[in-house]
Amino acid sequence: MPFLNRTQRLLASSRPSFHPVSLPLPFRRLFSVSHLQHNQPRSNANAPRVIFSGIQPTGIPHLGNYLGALSNWVQLQNTAGPSDELLFSIVGWHALTLPQHPQQLSEARMDMLAVLLAIGIDPRRSIIFHQDDNPDHTELAWIFNCITPMGKLRRMTTWKSRLAASKNQGDDVDVDEAGLNVGLFAYPVLQAADILAYKATHVPVGDDQTQHLELCRVIADQFNRNFKAEQSLFPLPTQLNTPSKRILSLRDPTSKMSKSSPDSSSRILLTDSPSQISQKIRSAVTDSIPGINYDPVNRPGTANLLTILAACNNNEDVGETARRYGGKNHGALKKDLTEAVEEMLKGPRAEYEKLRMERAYLAQLAREGAEKARLKSEVTMREVRKRVGLS
């Protein structure tokens, strides 16, 4: 993938905004959606798409984040039609649903922006912005809060798993709700506002966020029903299925790779050095069974390494990858995997290290991205306010 060099970045930063106006900076299916209105405008396969996705600024992304989401963002950007619009947001307000250190969060916001640029998100093609620079998100979230039943939020599973993880509890069914705050409980509503503020038509999300996108569709439909007009205001966003890979922990291949794991050797960060990558892959949990084959149920550790290697090799079929190692051992697999991961990450890593030092450029890009986002969301919010009687 192409990386922006310094000259290209400077050109991007000096490029006139798409809009001359400068404004103030201020997601398992548990219920049916068959009742949703069908008076939405008929979809057209060739119609321009508005694609939205976000990521929390809670530390440097790991290999699972990159292969599962971020690389797909770049692919979407590079294959989007000329009339498609893409918005990628760093969602700081979502990060606040769990305790954060203010200074660390402030730095993480800028670091995440640098990461997005380093992996190939182009500010000349996509709108990149901090969610918390646009208060239209929270205003719309409050209006959505007022039409969202508590029962639907209580059926959400992600807040339970996030709360359990924050308490180091493995069971998210009987999770202790003593530490549950309103923000964490209601954050799927803010997520819906993030999407619908831009009338997004397509949202690339993993399976763990499908339930939230279904809720977003329900909220959009409920608003359209409650505040009827000649034309429905909000589209019902479509889940954009991308070839995402579920990358597991290198130390516990029964769970996802996670930034919150206390064992740092369980994950490979985008900023890890070649020696760190090598050490973590050498220590990755496998098994004592001779030979290599892809069996996620009985050999999860080995299957995880094969999945990563296949993803590094241009999303090669993992079965084909496994067949090449049928007569080899784990040592050979780990050696080749180390080389493939390093080859994949060395470009983004080097670019990130350069970008994170250019704070003025990052701040300028964030301001420009927020202005572009705000110009789009304000159009939506004027109509929202009119329909609910606040204008």
Side-chain angles (χ1 to χ4, degrees), residues 304-320:
N304 188 40
L305 299 185
L306 288 167
T307 297
I308 298 173
L309 183 57
C312 292
N313 292 332
N314 297 315
N315 287 316
E316 177 185 49
D317 180 76
V318 68
E320 181 61 33

Side-chain angles (χ1 to χ4, degrees), residues 35-37 217-226 236:
H35 69 284
L36 297 184
Q37 286 184 335
R217 289 167 55 86
V218 169
I219 291 174
D221 179 71
Q222 191 64 56
F223 185 97
N224 292 338
R225 288 170 175 268
N226 288 4
L236 306 187

Side-chain angles (χ1 to χ4, degrees), residues 339-371:
E339 294 175 355
V341 171
E342 169 57 21
E343 181 65 25
M344 180 178 64
L345 296 184
K346 67 180 183 181
R349 181 178 61 225
E351 187 68 8
Y352 167 77
E353 292 299 337
K354 296 175 185 176
L355 281 164
R356 68 188 302 266
M357 305 305 294
E358 300 183 12
R359 293 302 200 186
Y361 166 72
L362 292 174
Q364 178 184 345
L365 188 147
R367 287 192 299 269
E368 293 176 353
E371 289 171 3

Side-chain angles (χ1 to χ4, degrees), residues 248-261:
L248 304 177
S249 165
L250 297 179
R251 302 299 299 166
D252 177 15
T254 63
S255 60
K256 287 177 62 176
M257 186 174 287
S258 171
K259 287 180 282 188
S260 62
S261 171

Side-chain angles (χ1 to χ4, degrees), residues 141-301:
W142 177 255
I143 293 171
F144 286 167
N145 278 332
C146 296
I147 64 171
T148 303
M150 289 280 289
K152 292 197 183 297
L153 290 178
R154 185 159 292 281
R155 288 195 290 270
M156 297 292 106
T157 59
T158 308
W159 67 261
K160 299 175 184 178
S161 61
R162 292 189 67 197
L163 183 60
S166 70
K167 296 174 173 290
N168 294 318
Q169 296 174 344
D171 186 358
D172 63 358
V173 176
D174 299 318
V175 62
D176 179 9
E177 298 183 10
L180 177 62
N181 60 63
V182 175
L184 180 57
F185 183 71
Y187 91 93
V189 182
L190 176 58
Q191 212 164 28
D194 296 335
I195 297 166
L196 295 173
Y198 306 98
K199 297 184 180 179
T201 60
H202 294 77
V203 183
V205 294
D207 292 340
D208 61 335
Q209 294 291 305
T210 296
Q211 189 187 39
H212 289 183
L213 185 55
E214 294 291 4
L215 179 64
C216 176
R217 289 167 55 86
V218 169
I219 291 174
D221 179 71
Q222 191 64 56
F223 185 97
N224 292 338
R225 288 170 175 268
N226 288 4
F227 307 102
K228 294 180 179 179
E230 184 176 343
Q231 181 69 50
S232 295
L233 178 59
F234 294 116
L236 306 187
T238 299
Q239 181 166 343
L240 199 55
N241 295 316
T242 56
S244 60
K245 306 296 180 183
R246 188 173 189 269
I247 306 303
L248 304 177
S249 165
L250 297 179
R251 302 299 299 166
D252 177 15
T254 63
S255 60
K256 287 177 62 176
M257 186 174 287
S258 171
K259 287 180 282 188
S260 62
S261 171
D263 188 349
S264 61
S265 64
S266 67
R267 56 189 173 271
I268 295 174
L269 302 178
L270 266 65
T271 54
D272 279 349
S273 67
S275 62
Q276 288 174 313
I277 292 172
S278 177
Q279 181 181 2
K280 290 179 179 181
I281 293 178
R282 282 201 310 269
S283 66
V285 171
T286 52
D287 54 57
S288 60
I289 303 174
I292 302 294
N293 68 299
Y294 183 71
D295 186 348
V297 175
N298 298 306
R299 307 186 69 182

